[in-house]
Amino acid sequence: MASEDITKLAESLAKTKVGGGQLSFKGQSLKLNTAEDAEEVIKQIVEFDGLEALRLEGNTVGVEAAKVIAKALEKKCELKRCHWSDMFTGRLRSEIPPALISLGDALITAGAQLVELDLSDNAFGPDGVRGFEALLKSPACYTLQELKLNNCGMGIGGGKILAAALKECHRKSSAQGKPLALKIFVAGRNRLENDGATALAEAFGIIGTLEEVHMPQNGINHPGITALAQAFAINPLLKVINLNDNTFTEKGAVAMAETLKALRQIEVINFGDCLVRSKGAVAIADAVKEGLHKLKELNLSFCEIKRDAALTVAEAIEDKAELEKLDLNGNCLGEEVCEQLHEILEGFNMAAVLGSLSDDEGEEEEDEEEEEEDEEEEEEEEQQQLKERGEEEQESLTPKKIIDSQASTPVPSPPVDVATFLAFPSPEKLLRLGPKCSVLIAQQTDTSDVEKVVATLLRISSVFKDEAPVKTAVHETTDALMKKAFGSATFNSDAFITNLLIHMGLLKSEEKIKAVPSLYGILMTLNHMVQQDYFPKSLAPVLSAFVTKPNRALDSCSFARHMLLQTLHQL
């Protein structure tokens, strides 16, 4: 380590806040790669008597540094709080699990009894959960009260591993007469979806001591919401439920409303951006009216709620003396209804609790369209369930049935060409183009036309999946296309990145251009692209600047965004 680096580190450590049993390196941007890099940090840990809280947020810790820090923690039996969010910036995903395993093993060896574990904003994905799975199952976590895993990209697989670890922790701790009594659970922006949420719901139902649950932006639909609602009913101490930006629809909202009727301690309900719609809002309003006397905040913003339902919600809060905020912004009310809401609340002397209605969508046709949408959703769900059942049945066929089925004439798949794929892209069509798909698409794309290159890239990336065959096909096809484009002397790289950012909705254009519906595929594809030799490194700072900016579409793909920023940081 160079002498100037040591001097910088020493100056940084001099600012370390020490007191009340807490040692903090928060936000010091320390780059701890090797054992040597971590020497000063280890010295501080070793010399700190009665260490109860260790803050490592906002630094970057490599595998070797984690091992020596872990060694120092093996004698810190009084450690209770690990504030370890955002401490792997710029690291490869493969580095994070071994680093977490080392740190977790140290806590187990020390005999620590944790109260809080915060690993938020570490993009470790499903594999990363394996990194602290043993810790969660160990006596070190029998006393855990707060578990924070916000924005970690756990996915369905990670959610299931986490749920199983929590159940095991509860089982083991119960056997010792002191069951796990988790109070706060945070896991927003993790792509848990229905299966991950359902697995966690099962764990919540067993634990039964939750006071706060924060699971916004997880792609959970009504089956997952219903499972969570049933679990929440078995957690009577719940004060805060934050499920912002998932998709309830009426089924999920009604299930959640039934649960709310059984809860007496609720203070905050955040169902904003959850598509509860009018019927769901009325069900929630009934639950509020019947009880919830400690309610302080009710957020039903951007939920496609219409006139009568919104007024019903307003009337339901009449005797809620503790209420501080009612958020109905971004619904379909119209100016007249907005005024009526104010009048109703003024009649209760509660006008001050109503939040802004500046993003109101205006009055729309009642119920008819909503019912049609619900019916369509139900049909889609039924078809999906039938498909899943069919797949299960296919897997369980006996040898005789398999022979019989082979005797029947198979229905051939319709042929796919490049034009068909680009017109209606899907993972299956890309794979059916065969091993030469990358060559075919590159050959048939006019790379002198920046607009066509961007359009083709977006169509390819739209079918991206983490499954190996699809992922490989997307990467190979992207490489062939972009190698040809960037390799052309006439190709304008600056125009390409500008056009791409516009289509991603990250840069405004004078023309009305509809942004792609989801940025996940293109972000994951860009994460691969920027690492290739053909990609001009001069474009990396531009891309980084726009992907870093606050943006709602980017927020909904936080894992992919974090992965791309980590890669750009390493270039």
Side-chain angles (χ1 to χ4, degrees):
M1 196 175 192
S3 59
E4 59 267 24
D5 291 334
I6 293 170
T7 305
K8 258 186 208 175
L9 180 58
E11 287 172 359
S12 185
L13 290 173
K15 299 173 188 173
T16 299
K17 293 178 183 176
V18 180
Q22 174 174 285
L23 177 60
S24 175
F25 302 97
K26 181 178 180 180
Q28 294 184 16
S29 301
L30 303 176
K31 293 181 180 178
L32 309 177
N33 299 315
T34 65
E36 187 185 358
D37 295 341
E39 279 179 3
E40 288 293 331
V41 173
I42 293 161
K43 184 172 178 287
Q44 295 271 357
I45 292 171
V46 170
E47 293 177 356
F48 196 111
D49 292 329
L51 180 64
E52 293 185 6
L54 177 61
R55 307 197 77 106
L56 290 172
E57 310 103 305
N59 299 292
T60 177
V61 182
V63 177
E64 291 306 311
K67 283 180 183 176
V68 290
I69 291 170
K71 196 71 181 169
L73 290 174
E74 285 181 357
K75 295 180 181 178
K76 299 298 175 181
C77 62
E78 293 171 317
L79 189 61
K80 291 181 173 66
R81 297 183 182 275
C82 298
H83 302 279
W84 294 350
S85 63
D86 187 23
M87 69 174 207
F88 296 109
T89 302
R91 300 288 167 191
L92 297 173
R93 255 174 75 175
S94 58
E95 293 181 84
I96 302 175
L100 288 174
I101 288 169
S102 296
L103 293 166
D105 287 349
L107 298 178
I108 296 168
T109 302
Q113 293 189 312
L114 295 185
V115 172
E116 179 179 0
L117 177 61
D118 186 354
L119 292 169
S120 299
D121 299 313
N122 290 311
F124 46 61
D127 294 339
V129 185
R130 295 285 187 200
F132 59 94
E133 180 185 14
L135 173 63
L136 279 180
K137 293 177 179 179
S138 77
C141 284
Y142 291 177
T143 50
L144 197 64
Q145 294 179 15
E146 300 180 30
L147 180 57
K148 299 172 182 177
L149 299 165
N150 204 54
N151 191 30
C152 292
M154 290 190 291
I156 294 170
K160 288 181 176 180
I161 297 167
L162 175 62
L166 288 172
K167 287 191 287 185
E168 182 71 0
C169 180
H170 187 271
R171 184 186 69 77
K172 287 181 175 178
S173 57
S174 297
Q176 292 194 5
K178 290 186 178 179
L180 171 68
L182 192 66
K183 292 181 180 178
I184 298 173
F185 179 83
V186 181
R189 300 181 181 180
N190 269 292
R191 298 184 295 123
L192 294 168
E193 300 180 20
N194 289 333
D195 289 349
T198 301
L200 284 166
E202 190 177 330
F204 297 162
I206 292 168
I207 294 167
T209 55
L210 288 166
E211 294 181 12
E212 294 185 23
V213 176
H214 302 263
M215 295 173 66
Q217 292 187 14
N218 268 299
I220 309 170
N221 299 325
H222 80 77
I225 297 297
T226 301
L228 287 171
Q230 291 166 351
F232 292 165
I234 311 168
N235 286 263
L237 302 176
L238 264 175
K239 294 178 183 176
V240 178
I241 302 176
N242 176 7
L243 294 172
N244 190 285
D245 201 6
N246 288 292
T247 307
F248 283 38
T249 60
E250 184 189 345
K251 285 183 180 178
V254 168
M256 196 60 72
E258 284 303 308
T259 285
L260 291 174
K261 290 177 183 178
L263 299 175
R264 296 283 177 263
Q265 306 301 320
I266 290 290
E267 295 178 5
V268 176
I269 297 171
N270 186 345
F271 297 159
D273 232 343
C274 282
L275 203 68
V276 303
R277 296 205 177 111
S278 294
K279 290 177 183 176
V282 169
I284 292 166
D286 288 344
V288 170
K289 192 169 186 175
E290 286 183 23
L292 306 185
H293 295 293
K294 295 184 179 181
L295 189 64
K296 292 180 180 177
E297 182 178 334
L298 175 60
N299 184 345
L300 294 174
S301 60
F302 299 94
C303 279
E304 292 192 7
I305 298 169
K306 296 172 185 173
R307 180 185 181 280
D308 292 343
L311 297 176
T312 302
V313 171
E315 288 164 356
I317 66 166
E318 181 177 0
D319 63 344
K320 302 297 170 277
E322 302 291 319
L323 195 73
E324 297 169 2
K325 185 177 181 182
L326 171 64
D327 193 344
L328 290 169
N329 198 19
N331 286 299
C332 313
L333 308 180
E335 191 175 336
E336 185 183 335
V337 178
C338 290
E339 288 175 7
Q340 283 181 277
L341 285 174
H342 281 286
E343 288 170 8
I344 289 170
L345 295 173
E346 278 174 5
F348 306 151
N349 291 320
M350 295 177 72
V353 307
L354 185 63
S356 168
L357 296 170
S358 59
D359 292 318
D360 183 61
E361 295 287 338
E363 193 170 1
E364 289 185 8
E365 290 292 324
E366 288 287 341
D367 300 331
E368 211 171 287
E369 185 183 330
E370 188 174 307
E371 284 172 7
E372 284 175 9
E373 287 173 357
D374 284 340
E375 283 170 11
E376 283 172 14
E377 282 172 12
E378 285 171 14
E379 282 174 14
E380 284 173 11
E381 284 161 11
E382 283 171 10
Q383 286 171 5
Q384 182 63 28
Q385 286 168 3
L386 287 169
K387 182 184 173 186
E388 286 168 3
R389 283 193 203 115
E391 286 170 356
E392 286 168 11
E393 286 167 9
Q394 185 64 32
E395 285 170 8
S396 63
L397 284 174
T398 61
K400 183 180 183 302
K401 285 180 181 174
I402 292 170
I403 292 165
D404 291 343
S405 66
Q406 286 173 342
S408 59
T409 307
V411 179
S413 299
V416 174
D417 56 20
V418 171
T420 305
F421 166 73
L422 292 176
F424 303 100
S426 73
E428 295 75 19
K429 286 177 187 168
L430 182 62
L431 294 175
R432 274 163 52 202
L433 279 171
K436 292 186 177 179
C437 64
S438 55
V439 177
L440 292 171
I441 290 176
Q443 283 177 346
Q444 295 184 39
T445 303
D446 180 5
T447 50
S448 65
D449 187 333
V450 167
E451 180 71 37
K452 284 182 181 174
V453 172
V454 169
T456 303
L457 174 63
L458 289 171
R459 286 184 173 89
I460 295 166
S461 65
S462 71
V463 306
F464 179 90
K465 279 187 176 182
D466 288 314
E467 296 167 10
V470 178
K471 189 184 203 176
T472 301
V474 169
H475 286 172
E476 288 177 353
T477 309
T478 299
D479 288 343
L481 173 69
M482 299 316 303
K483 198 179 287 185
K484 180 184 174 186
F486 287 126
S488 169
T490 58
F491 188 70
N492 189 328
S493 299
D494 292 335
F496 164 78
I497 200 72
T498 301
N499 199 288
L500 180 61
L501 290 168
I502 289 169
H503 279 82
M504 289 172 71
L506 306 182
L507 183 63
K508 287 185 179 178
S509 169
E510 291 179 5
E511 299 174 24
K512 284 189 177 180
I513 294 175
K514 191 175 180 181
V516 292
S518 171
L519 294 180
Y520 181 74
I522 185 60
L523 289 172
M524 293 300 282
T525 303
L526 283 168
N527 185 51
H528 168 79
M529 270 176 60
V530 299
Q531 299 176 64
Q532 309 310 309
D533 292 338
Y534 61 72
F535 187 82
K537 297 300 179 269
S538 60
L539 298 183
V542 180
L543 191 57
S544 182
F546 280 92
V547 175
T548 306
K549 284 183 180 181
N551 181 282
R552 194 168 177 178
L554 285 171
D555 287 344
S556 65
C557 302
S558 54
F559 173 70
R561 175 195 211 173
H562 195 76
M563 289 288 292
L564 176 57
L565 287 174
Q566 276 191 322
T567 303
L568 290 168
H569 179 76
Q570 291 174 329
L571 294 177

